[in-house]
Amino acid sequence: MIDTRTVVLVEGASDKSAIETLARRRGLDLAAEGISLVAMGGATNIGTYVGELGPSGRRLRLAGLCDAREEGDFRRALERAGLGSGMGPGDLEKLGFFVCVADLEDELIRALGTDAVERVVDAEGELGSFRTMQMQPAWRGRAAHDQLRRFMGAGSGRKIRYSSLLVAALDLDRVPRPLDLLLAHLLDGRGG
């Protein structure tokens, strides 16, 4: 059994599911490569995990994925751990942490397009539920992209399920930039 050498810190289970699915699609066995994915239960837990797993803890190689609104939390936690100082935009990428424009669902919907995402929703038997949500006063007339993001965030387990399904539906040449760069970073660090 390979020991963990790299830990990928992600906000939640949907991010973890998406990365696992993409790794499988690209023929990467994360466990065999010594890579563990950790869903932190929210971005505010980044400091705890960096402290336990990073330079002052288990001294593992760290990487991660976060939403744009949590970029500051990630930057501050990495700086506190001594992994950088005075970091600005783009500096997280040098450390192996990649930022989604809004969130992972936003990235995946943009990469696939709303028509393709609706086909995935239809294949899951939930197109009727989605259409009902679209007719609610708060969502009527809004962009399909925004409606789909909301739909995936509502309902128990839907976000986790759809993150994997959307990654499975992607053309591998259209993988969202943060996911693509994260996997490339992990592959670059093999054997390190």
Side-chain angles (χ1 to χ4, degrees):
M1 179 174 179
I2 306 273
D3 290 339
T4 296
R5 293 183 306 272
T6 300
V7 175
V8 180
L9 301 172
V10 297
E11 294 181 46
S14 64
D15 304 305
K16 183 178 183 225
S17 177
I19 295 165
E20 289 168 339
T21 301
L22 182 58
R24 275 192 305 274
R25 289 200 60 208
R26 290 204 169 150
L28 177 62
D29 182 342
L30 296 174
E33 297 288 345
I35 300 167
S36 294
L37 298 175
V38 175
M40 300 181 299
T44 58
N45 294 322
I46 184 70
T48 300
Y49 283 94
V50 169
E52 290 174 6
L53 302 170
S56 63
R58 292 185 50 204
R59 298 177 186 259
L60 298 170
R61 178 177 179 242
L62 300 176
L65 186 71
C66 69
D67 299 344
R69 68 183 170 275
E70 276 80 26
E71 183 176 0
D73 292 333
F74 273 58
R75 189 180 300 128
R76 285 185 294 279
L78 294 168
E79 286 179 349
R80 278 193 305 273
L83 295 171
S85 65
M87 289 194 283
D91 288 337
L92 284 180
E93 289 187 1
K94 295 174 190 166
L95 297 175
F97 288 80
F98 302 92
V99 180
C100 296
V101 170
D103 56 29
L104 182 60
E105 292 72 29
D106 170 65
E107 296 278 356
L108 292 169
I109 293 166
R110 277 189 293 111
L112 280 163
T114 57
D115 290 343
V117 174
E118 284 190 25
R119 286 191 294 275
V120 171
V121 171
D122 189 24
E124 288 297 296
E126 291 196 296
L127 192 58
S129 295
F130 175 61
R131 296 287 184 238
T132 298
M133 190 215 82
Q134 285 181 301
M135 298 307 298
Q136 293 175 356
W139 291 99
R140 193 176 308 134
R142 304 251 321 248
H145 177 98
D146 296 334
Q147 293 170 335
L148 285 162
R149 275 185 67 212
R150 173 63 181 129
F151 180 74
M152 287 175 193
S156 180
R158 191 178 281 155
K159 195 171 183 178
I160 297 166
R161 189 174 81 239
Y162 278 105
S163 67
S164 179
L165 292 169
L166 296 181
V167 170
L170 278 172
D171 287 333
L172 288 178
D173 62 346
R174 294 190 48 91
V175 172
R177 183 180 185 278
L179 284 176
D180 201 36
L181 291 176
L182 175 61
L183 245 50
H185 174 79
L186 296 174
L187 293 173
D188 286 346
R190 287 199 271 199

